[in-house]
Amino acid sequence: MKIGIMQPYLFPYLGYFQLINFVDLFVIYDDVQYIKGGWINRNKIKVNDRESYFSISVKNDSTYKNINERYYSDKFLYQKEKFLKTLQFAYKKAPYFDETYNLVKCIFDYPNLKVSEFNSNSIKLICDYTNIKTNFIISSNIDNHSGLKAQERLIYINKCLNSSWYINAVGGIKLYSRIEFEKNDVQLNFIKMKEVKYNQFGKEFINNLSIIDVLMFNSKDEIKELLNEFELT
C-alpha cells in the first residue's frame, strides 16, 4: 500500500490533489504545529491577470498549538462573503464558473470552524467533485506518536498503517532519507507536477494557483488528465 501525508491546506494547488489521487491512503497531518504564513489558511487565485493571495484569518492563540487546536476567527463570515464576491469578479466568465462557485460556496457553508476540520472537509468535497476515490485518515486518530519528530514521525505513521511505499511532495527531497525509510521496509519517492498549462482567458498563464483556478477552466474529464501530469523521483 502506498500513502501520502500532508497538512490540511486551504484550497491547495493541483499537485496536492495529484498526490491524493496517486496514493491508496491519504493522511491528513493535523496534529503538527500551526505555522503562521504557510498554506493552512491562505492560497492564491488569478485576479486582473495577476496572482492574488486570499486568506481566512485564524483566531489568535498560543503559537505552540497544533493545527487541530486552532479555529478560524470571528471575521470568517465577512471574509467568506468578500472572497465569494472576488471569485465572481475574477471568474464569472470562466467556462466552469457556476459549478465551481457552487462547490466553493458549499465548502464555505460548512459550520465547523475548527481549521483542521474545515480544511479537511473542503479537500474531501473537492475530491468528490473531481472523482478522486482515495481513502482518508486523520493523523491525530493514529496511535500516539508524541515525542517523534519530522522523519521519524513519518516513518512511524507508515509502519502503523502497514505502508510499503511513501510518496512525499517534491519539496521534501532534501529533508528525508531514502535509506532511513528503506531500513524500515518503506520505499520513498517524491512526486513532482509536470509543467501544466491550460487556457486562462487566453492570457499569460500563471501556474501553481489554488485548485479553484483549475476547476474554473477545466472540465472534469480534463481535470482527470491533469491529475496524471506528474513524475516520480
Side-chain angles (χ1 to χ4, degrees):
M1 180 175 69
K2 55 184 181 292
I3 73 168
I5 304 171
M6 291 289 287
Q7 295 177 20
Y9 293 157
L10 182 66
F11 296 109
Y13 83 128
L14 176 64
Y16 189 103
F17 291 94
Q18 288 179 333
L19 172 59
I20 297 176
N21 187 57
F22 181 65
V23 299
D24 302 305
L25 179 65
F26 186 77
V27 181
I28 295 177
Y29 205 22
D30 69 331
D31 53 347
V32 289
Q33 187 177 358
Y34 166 79
I35 303 297
K36 186 177 181 180
W39 298 105
I40 297 298
N41 64 310
R42 67 170 190 152
N43 220 292
K44 50 187 179 178
I45 55 175
K46 189 173 185 178
V47 180
N48 289 328
D49 301 326
R50 297 180 180 179
E51 68 176 26
S52 175
Y53 284 89
F54 66 88
S55 63
I56 305 297
S57 58
V58 174
K59 281 185 178 181
N60 290 327
D61 211 329
S62 168
T63 57
Y64 296 102
K65 283 193 172 182
N66 290 335
I67 298 168
N68 61 356
E69 299 174 302
R70 304 300 296 265
Y71 289 82
Y72 283 116
S73 76
D74 296 336
K75 298 178 182 178
F76 179 85
L77 291 178
Y78 166 76
Q79 292 174 337
K80 162 190 169 180
E81 294 304 321
K82 181 179 178 181
F83 181 63
L84 290 175
K85 289 179 181 178
T86 299
L87 284 186
Q88 289 179 316
F89 170 77
Y91 291 103
K92 62 184 177 182
K93 294 183 180 179
Y96 300 97
F97 170 77
D98 288 340
E99 302 96 312
T100 304
Y101 180 84
N102 289 334
L103 173 62
V104 174
K105 187 175 184 302
C106 177
I107 287 170
F108 272 107
D109 286 341
Y110 188 65
N112 192 331
L113 296 187
K114 198 171 188 177
V115 171
S116 60
E117 295 193 22
F118 181 90
N119 288 13
S120 296
N121 179 69
S122 70
I123 290 166
K124 291 175 183 178
L125 287 180
I126 293 169
C127 286
D128 288 343
Y129 179 84
T130 55
N131 203 33
I132 294 174
K133 302 297 186 181
T134 303
N135 292 317
F136 289 84
I137 189 170
I138 307 298
S139 64
S140 56
N141 291 336
I142 300 172
D143 290 343
N144 189 297
H145 45 272
S146 60
L148 298 177
K149 295 182 179 180
Q151 180 170 270
E152 289 182 345
R153 198 173 187 191
L154 297 180
I155 291 172
Y156 177 86
I157 292 174
N158 273 271
K159 293 176 72 173
C160 282
L161 298 175
N162 295 316
S163 164
S164 58
W165 193 4
Y166 174 52
I167 313 296
N168 197 88
V170 72
I173 201 165
K174 294 182 179 179
L175 301 176
Y176 307 123
S177 165
R178 296 181 199 270
I179 294 175
E180 291 303 315
F181 275 82
E182 287 171 1
K183 286 180 181 178
N184 289 274
D185 299 317
V186 178
Q187 177 181 336
L188 171 63
N189 283 100
F190 300 91
I191 189 170
K192 180 181 180 182
M193 186 170 72
K194 294 180 180 178
E195 185 177 354
V196 168
K197 287 188 177 182
Y198 48 86
N199 186 356
Q200 294 172 329
F201 296 129
K203 302 294 181 66
E204 182 179 356
F205 183 77
I206 300 177
N207 63 4
N208 293 331
L209 297 178
S210 163
I211 190 65
I212 293 172
D213 190 84
V214 177
L215 298 176
M216 288 288 187
F217 292 110
N218 295 275
S219 68
K220 291 184 179 181
D221 286 341
E222 289 168 332
I223 293 169
K224 185 177 180 180
E225 294 180 6
L226 292 176
L227 287 171
N228 292 314
E229 289 296 311
F230 65 85
E231 57 188 17
L232 293 180
T233 60

